[in-house]
Amino acid sequence: MMNFAIAGCGHIAYKHVGAIEKTEGARLVAICDPNPDRLKELRAVTSSTAYPDLGTMLARQPEIDAVCICTPSGLHAPLALEALREGKHLVLEKPVTLSLTEAEQLREAVRVSGVKATVVHPNRYRPAMQALRAALAEHRFGKLSHVNMTLRWNRSQAYYDQAAWRGTKAMDGGVLLNQAISQRRTCRRCDAKAVRL
Ligand SMILES: NC(=O)c1ccc[n+]([C@@H]2O[C@H](COP(=O)([O-])OP(=O)(O)OC[C@H]3O[C@@H](n4cnc5c(N)ncnc54)[C@H](O)[C@@H]3O)[C@@H](O)[C@H]2O)c1
């Protein structure tokens, strides 16, 4: 049995709860969030133990094997590094980090600790994206010189008003890191700059 914990009890955390529940051999044992209302709401739909912060959670429940990082994006790197120091596997929400330096630091820490780490990019598994990927692999379009992408996702003011971190450079990173990151694929030319965990 693999014991999961979730750091950050906001919108996306509920998807992680659902995925853990559906996965044989996985169970959710702990959650943490500094916001007591968020913590209480998620606690109400799980049988996990609630904590105000990651450090306390990891100290009190050493049986945790993996941590899902579901916090504002600017906190992914520091919290992931904290979990890695305790030898925990990671499921990181996208974007992996907000800077290349942090991503490289994290990749190195994952390599050294020998744990497994993955970043959640669900849009890459949509049928249209999978069909496009297959077509590219079959060289159906010949040699591509340019790719032009349009992301038609509306984000109204109400979206940005949901939480103080949204739309900020320090915690959200902006549309290229928040929304468009879901669509971005690495190409051969970009490989030197792209970091994959
Ligand atoms: N993969 C996807 O398709 C997808 C979709 C939506 C969001 N996301 C990502 O998930 C992350 C969270 O987004 P959200 O919509 O759930 O945001 P949210 O604001 O609803 O939730 C974030 C939660 O993290 C908590 N938090 C803040 N600091 C914390 C800390 N130090 N330790 C633990 N918890 C802390 C907040 O109190 C809040 O409850 C973002 O990085 C976002 O980019 C991914």
Side-chain angles (χ1 to χ4, degrees), residues 6-16 32-36 38-39 51-54 69-76 79 92-95 120-123 153 155 159 162-166 171-172 177-179 181-182:
I6 295 177
C9 301
H11 295 91
I12 206 65
Y14 291 79
K15 295 276 183 196
H16 288 249
C32 72
D33 198 303
N35 180 327
R38 287 288 178 89
L39 199 55
Y51 299 96
D53 61 83
L54 179 64
I69 307 287
C70 300
T71 62
S73 308
L75 295 174
H76 291 182
L79 293 178
L92 279 149
E93 263 308 335
K94 52 85 338 214
V120 181
H121 281 290
N123 288 297
W153 291 351
R155 293 289 180 265
Y159 167 85
Q162 279 174 19
W165 67 273
R166 296 195 189 278
M171 286 292 144
D172 170 309
L177 280 164
N178 192 337
Q179 286 81 28
I181 196 89
S182 304

Side-chain angles (χ1 to χ4, degrees), residues 26-123:
R27 71 177 165 206
L28 181 65
V29 296
I31 56 174
C32 72
D33 198 303
N35 180 327
D37 294 334
R38 287 288 178 89
L39 199 55
K40 202 172 151 193
E41 281 160 24
L42 192 65
R43 174 70 186 81
V45 296
T46 69
S47 53
S48 54
T49 311
Y51 299 96
D53 61 83
L54 179 64
T56 309
M57 181 170 81
L58 296 180
R60 298 261 177 86
Q61 288 195 236
E63 77 276 21
I64 292 169
D65 298 302
V67 181
C68 302
I69 307 287
C70 300
T71 62
S73 308
L75 295 174
H76 291 182
L79 293 178
L81 288 169
E82 188 177 346
L84 280 176
R85 281 194 290 275
E86 299 299 323
K88 309 302 178 189
H89 301 290
L90 291 173
V91 178
L92 279 149
E93 263 308 335
K94 52 85 338 214
V96 57
T97 61
L98 293 189
S99 77
L100 189 58
T101 308
E102 281 178 331
E104 284 173 342
Q105 195 186 356
L106 197 51
R107 182 176 61 178
E108 181 58 12
V110 167
R111 192 189 64 76
V112 169
S113 60
V115 300
K116 302 278 185 206
T118 188
V119 184
V120 181
H121 281 290
N123 288 297

